[in-house]
mmCIF file with all atom_site columns, all heavy atoms in Angstrom:
data_model
loop_
_atom_site.group_PDB
_atom_site.id
_atom_site.type_symbol
_atom_site.label_atom_id
_atom_site.label_alt_id
_atom_site.label_comp_id
_atom_site.label_asym_id
_atom_site.label_entity_id
_atom_site.label_seq_id
_atom_site.pdbx_PDB_ins_code
_atom_site.Cartn_x
_atom_site.Cartn_y
_atom_site.Cartn_z
_atom_site.occupancy
_atom_site.B_iso_or_equiv
_atom_site.pdbx_formal_charge
_atom_site.auth_seq_id
_atom_site.auth_comp_id
_atom_site.auth_asym_id
_atom_site.auth_atom_id
_atom_site.pdbx_PDB_model_num
ATOM 1   N N   . ASP A 1 590 ? -15.609 -18.021 4.958  1.00 96.00 ? 590 ASP A N   1
ATOM 2   C CA  . ASP A 1 590 ? -16.873 -18.702 5.118  1.00 96.00 ? 590 ASP A CA  1
ATOM 3   C C   . ASP A 1 590 ? -16.860 -19.694 6.168  1.00 96.00 ? 590 ASP A C   1
ATOM 4   O O   . ASP A 1 590 ? -17.863 -20.431 6.434  1.00 96.00 ? 590 ASP A O   1
ATOM 5   C CB  . ASP A 1 590 ? -17.372 -19.386 3.793  1.00 96.00 ? 590 ASP A CB  1
ATOM 6   C CG  . ASP A 1 590 ? -17.914 -18.395 2.781  1.00 96.00 ? 590 ASP A CG  1
ATOM 7   O OD1 . ASP A 1 590 ? -18.401 -17.324 3.236  1.00 96.00 ? 590 ASP A OD1 1
ATOM 8   O OD2 . ASP A 1 590 ? -17.946 -18.698 1.616  1.00 96.00 ? 590 ASP A OD2 1
ATOM 9   N N   . ASP A 1 591 ? -15.727 -19.906 6.946  1.00 96.00 ? 591 ASP A N   1
ATOM 10  C CA  . ASP A 1 591 ? -15.644 -20.889 7.986  1.00 96.00 ? 591 ASP A CA  1
ATOM 11  C C   . ASP A 1 591 ? -16.660 -20.612 9.065  1.00 96.00 ? 591 ASP A C   1
ATOM 12  O O   . ASP A 1 591 ? -16.920 -19.409 9.494  1.00 96.00 ? 591 ASP A O   1
ATOM 13  C CB  . ASP A 1 591 ? -14.216 -20.868 8.641  1.00 96.00 ? 591 ASP A CB  1
ATOM 14  C CG  . ASP A 1 591 ? -13.272 -21.742 7.975  1.00 96.00 ? 591 ASP A CG  1
ATOM 15  O OD1 . ASP A 1 591 ? -13.587 -22.065 6.724  1.00 96.00 ? 591 ASP A OD1 1
ATOM 16  O OD2 . ASP A 1 591 ? -12.173 -22.005 8.494  1.00 96.00 ? 591 ASP A OD2 1
ATOM 17  N N   . GLU A 1 592 ? -17.238 -21.631 9.582  1.00 97.00 ? 592 GLU A N   1
ATOM 18  C CA  . GLU A 1 592 ? -18.203 -21.494 10.719 1.00 97.00 ? 592 GLU A CA  1
ATOM 19  C C   . GLU A 1 592 ? -17.455 -21.159 12.003 1.00 97.00 ? 592 GLU A C   1
ATOM 20  O O   . GLU A 1 592 ? -16.491 -21.684 12.278 1.00 97.00 ? 592 GLU A O   1
ATOM 21  C CB  . GLU A 1 592 ? -18.989 -22.767 10.902 1.00 97.00 ? 592 GLU A CB  1
ATOM 22  C CG  . GLU A 1 592 ? -20.008 -22.729 12.005 1.00 97.00 ? 592 GLU A CG  1
ATOM 23  C CD  . GLU A 1 592 ? -20.822 -23.945 12.196 1.00 97.00 ? 592 GLU A CD  1
ATOM 24  O OE1 . GLU A 1 592 ? -20.808 -24.866 11.274 1.00 97.00 ? 592 GLU A OE1 1
ATOM 25  O OE2 . GLU A 1 592 ? -21.493 -24.097 13.256 1.00 97.00 ? 592 GLU A OE2 1
ATOM 26  N N   . VAL A 1 593 ? -18.066 -20.237 12.684 1.00 98.00 ? 593 VAL A N   1
ATOM 27  C CA  . VAL A 1 593 ? -17.643 -19.801 13.992 1.00 98.00 ? 593 VAL A CA  1
ATOM 28  C C   . VAL A 1 593 ? -18.413 -20.549 15.032 1.00 98.00 ? 593 VAL A C   1
ATOM 29  O O   . VAL A 1 593 ? -19.665 -20.383 15.132 1.00 98.00 ? 593 VAL A O   1
ATOM 30  C CB  . VAL A 1 593 ? -17.746 -18.314 14.199 1.00 98.00 ? 593 VAL A CB  1
ATOM 31  C CG1 . VAL A 1 593 ? -17.362 -17.936 15.607 1.00 98.00 ? 593 VAL A CG1 1
ATOM 32  C CG2 . VAL A 1 593 ? -16.931 -17.495 13.217 1.00 98.00 ? 593 VAL A CG2 1
ATOM 33  N N   . PRO A 1 594 ? -17.820 -21.440 15.861 1.00 97.00 ? 594 PRO A N   1
ATOM 34  C CA  . PRO A 1 594 ? -18.617 -22.178 16.774 1.00 97.00 ? 594 PRO A CA  1
ATOM 35  C C   . PRO A 1 594 ? -19.272 -21.351 17.828 1.00 97.00 ? 594 PRO A C   1
ATOM 36  O O   . PRO A 1 594 ? -18.721 -20.326 18.381 1.00 97.00 ? 594 PRO A O   1
ATOM 37  C CB  . PRO A 1 594 ? -17.535 -23.030 17.502 1.00 97.00 ? 594 PRO A CB  1
ATOM 38  C CG  . PRO A 1 594 ? -16.442 -23.180 16.586 1.00 97.00 ? 594 PRO A CG  1
ATOM 39  C CD  . PRO A 1 594 ? -16.373 -21.804 15.876 1.00 97.00 ? 594 PRO A CD  1
ATOM 40  N N   . VAL A 1 595 ? -20.637 -21.571 17.978 1.00 98.00 ? 595 VAL A N   1
ATOM 41  C CA  . VAL A 1 595 ? -21.445 -20.803 18.962 1.00 98.00 ? 595 VAL A CA  1
ATOM 42  C C   . VAL A 1 595 ? -22.212 -21.838 19.680 1.00 98.00 ? 595 VAL A C   1
ATOM 43  O O   . VAL A 1 595 ? -22.879 -22.737 19.052 1.00 98.00 ? 595 VAL A O   1
ATOM 44  C CB  . VAL A 1 595 ? -22.392 -19.840 18.251 1.00 98.00 ? 595 VAL A CB  1
ATOM 45  C CG1 . VAL A 1 595 ? -23.335 -19.130 19.253 1.00 98.00 ? 595 VAL A CG1 1
ATOM 46  C CG2 . VAL A 1 595 ? -21.635 -18.792 17.441 1.00 98.00 ? 595 VAL A CG2 1
ATOM 47  N N   . PRO A 1 596 ? -22.307 -21.813 21.028 1.00 97.00 ? 596 PRO A N   1
ATOM 48  C CA  . PRO A 1 596 ? -23.019 -22.811 21.805 1.00 97.00 ? 596 PRO A CA  1
ATOM 49  C C   . PRO A 1 596 ? -24.530 -22.931 21.380 1.00 97.00 ? 596 PRO A C   1
ATOM 50  O O   . PRO A 1 596 ? -25.113 -21.904 21.037 1.00 97.00 ? 596 PRO A O   1
ATOM 51  C CB  . PRO A 1 596 ? -22.912 -22.359 23.274 1.00 97.00 ? 596 PRO A CB  1
ATOM 52  C CG  . PRO A 1 596 ? -21.710 -21.485 23.217 1.00 97.00 ? 596 PRO A CG  1
ATOM 53  C CD  . PRO A 1 596 ? -21.697 -20.780 21.927 1.00 97.00 ? 596 PRO A CD  1
ATOM 54  N N   . ASP A 1 597 ? -25.057 -24.129 21.412 1.00 96.00 ? 597 ASP A N   1
ATOM 55  C CA  . ASP A 1 597 ? -26.484 -24.344 21.124 1.00 96.00 ? 597 ASP A CA  1
ATOM 56  C C   . ASP A 1 597 ? -27.356 -23.500 21.997 1.00 96.00 ? 597 ASP A C   1
ATOM 57  O O   . ASP A 1 597 ? -27.101 -23.322 23.185 1.00 96.00 ? 597 ASP A O   1
ATOM 58  C CB  . ASP A 1 597 ? -26.814 -25.830 21.309 1.00 96.00 ? 597 ASP A CB  1
ATOM 59  C CG  . ASP A 1 597 ? -26.247 -26.685 20.237 1.00 96.00 ? 597 ASP A CG  1
ATOM 60  O OD1 . ASP A 1 597 ? -25.836 -26.197 19.120 1.00 96.00 ? 597 ASP A OD1 1
ATOM 61  O OD2 . ASP A 1 597 ? -26.121 -27.917 20.443 1.00 96.00 ? 597 ASP A OD2 1
ATOM 62  N N   . GLY A 1 598 ? -28.335 -22.815 21.393 1.00 96.00 ? 598 GLY A N   1
ATOM 63  C CA  . GLY A 1 598 ? -29.193 -22.057 22.147 1.00 96.00 ? 598 GLY A CA  1
ATOM 64  C C   . GLY A 1 598 ? -28.767 -20.588 22.494 1.00 96.00 ? 598 GLY A C   1
ATOM 65  O O   . GLY A 1 598 ? -29.574 -19.801 22.983 1.00 96.00 ? 598 GLY A O   1
ATOM 66  N N   . TRP A 1 599 ? -27.560 -20.299 22.059 1.00 97.00 ? 599 TRP A N   1
ATOM 67  C CA  . TRP A 1 599 ? -26.994 -18.954 22.347 1.00 97.00 ? 599 TRP A CA  1
ATOM 68  C C   . TRP A 1 599 ? -27.279 -18.031 21.134 1.00 97.00 ? 599 TRP A C   1
ATOM 69  O O   . TRP A 1 599 ? -27.106 -18.403 19.973 1.00 97.00 ? 599 TRP A O   1
ATOM 70  C CB  . TRP A 1 599 ? -25.522 -18.980 22.574 1.00 97.00 ? 599 TRP A CB  1
ATOM 71  C CG  . TRP A 1 599 ? -24.959 -17.775 23.312 1.00 97.00 ? 599 TRP A CG  1
ATOM 72  C CD1 . TRP A 1 599 ? -24.682 -17.670 24.607 1.00 97.00 ? 599 TRP A CD1 1
ATOM 73  C CD2 . TRP A 1 599 ? -24.568 -16.463 22.715 1.00 97.00 ? 599 TRP A CD2 1
ATOM 74  N NE1 . TRP A 1 599 ? -24.192 -16.460 24.930 1.00 97.00 ? 599 TRP A NE1 1
ATOM 75  C CE2 . TRP A 1 599 ? -24.084 -15.714 23.813 1.00 97.00 ? 599 TRP A CE2 1
ATOM 76  C CE3 . TRP A 1 599 ? -24.646 -15.994 21.505 1.00 97.00 ? 599 TRP A CE3 1
ATOM 77  C CZ2 . TRP A 1 599 ? -23.668 -14.410 23.632 1.00 97.00 ? 599 TRP A CZ2 1
ATOM 78  C CZ3 . TRP A 1 599 ? -24.190 -14.681 21.252 1.00 97.00 ? 599 TRP A CZ3 1
ATOM 79  C CH2 . TRP A 1 599 ? -23.682 -13.907 22.316 1.00 97.00 ? 599 TRP A CH2 1
ATOM 80  N N   . SER A 1 600 ? -27.708 -16.831 21.437 1.00 97.00 ? 600 SER A N   1
ATOM 81  C CA  . SER A 1 600 ? -27.900 -15.876 20.282 1.00 97.00 ? 600 SER A CA  1
ATOM 82  C C   . SER A 1 600 ? -27.577 -14.497 20.833 1.00 97.00 ? 600 SER A C   1
ATOM 83  O O   . SER A 1 600 ? -27.785 -14.194 22.043 1.00 97.00 ? 600 SER A O   1
ATOM 84  C CB  . SER A 1 600 ? -29.334 -15.917 19.760 1.00 97.00 ? 600 SER A CB  1
ATOM 85  O OG  . SER A 1 600 ? -30.246 -15.540 20.663 1.00 97.00 ? 600 SER A OG  1
ATOM 86  N N   . GLY A 1 601 ? -27.159 -13.597 19.998 1.00 98.00 ? 601 GLY A N   1
ATOM 87  C CA  . GLY A 1 601 ? -26.876 -12.210 20.393 1.00 98.00 ? 601 GLY A CA  1
ATOM 88  C C   . GLY A 1 601 ? -26.617 -11.404 19.085 1.00 98.00 ? 601 GLY A C   1
ATOM 89  O O   . GLY A 1 601 ? -26.729 -11.937 17.988 1.00 98.00 ? 601 GLY A O   1
ATOM 90  N N   . GLU A 1 602 ? -26.116 -10.172 19.333 1.00 98.00 ? 602 GLU A N   1
ATOM 91  C CA  . GLU A 1 602 ? -25.890 -9.256  18.203 1.00 98.00 ? 602 GLU A CA  1
ATOM 92  C C   . GLU A 1 602 ? -24.570 -8.540  18.418 1.00 98.00 ? 602 GLU A C   1
ATOM 93  O O   . GLU A 1 602 ? -24.280 -8.130  19.523 1.00 98.00 ? 602 GLU A O   1
ATOM 94  C CB  . GLU A 1 602 ? -27.036 -8.258  18.035 1.00 98.00 ? 602 GLU A CB  1
ATOM 95  C CG  . GLU A 1 602 ? -28.314 -8.824  17.436 1.00 98.00 ? 602 GLU A CG  1
ATOM 96  C CD  . GLU A 1 602 ? -29.317 -7.777  17.117 1.00 98.00 ? 602 GLU A CD  1
ATOM 97  O OE1 . GLU A 1 602 ? -28.982 -6.550  17.405 1.00 98.00 ? 602 GLU A OE1 1
ATOM 98  O OE2 . GLU A 1 602 ? -30.376 -8.116  16.650 1.00 98.00 ? 602 GLU A OE2 1
ATOM 99  N N   . MET A 1 603 ? -23.857 -8.301  17.344 1.00 98.00 ? 603 MET A N   1
ATOM 100 C CA  . MET A 1 603 ? -22.764 -7.363  17.283 1.00 98.00 ? 603 MET A CA  1
ATOM 101 C C   . MET A 1 603 ? -23.379 -5.923  17.258 1.00 98.00 ? 603 MET A C   1
ATOM 102 O O   . MET A 1 603 ? -24.532 -5.689  16.999 1.00 98.00 ? 603 MET A O   1
ATOM 103 C CB  . MET A 1 603 ? -21.916 -7.590  16.068 1.00 98.00 ? 603 MET A CB  1
ATOM 104 C CG  . MET A 1 603 ? -21.300 -9.000  15.979 1.00 98.00 ? 603 MET A CG  1
ATOM 105 S SD  . MET A 1 603 ? -20.185 -9.377  17.326 1.00 98.00 ? 603 MET A SD  1
ATOM 106 C CE  . MET A 1 603 ? -18.746 -8.429  16.788 1.00 98.00 ? 603 MET A CE  1
#
Side-chain angles (χ1 to χ4, degrees):
D590 279 340
D591 274 15
E592 181 178 344
V593 175
V595 177
D597 290 341
W599 199 98
S600 65
E602 287 188 358
M603 301 295 285

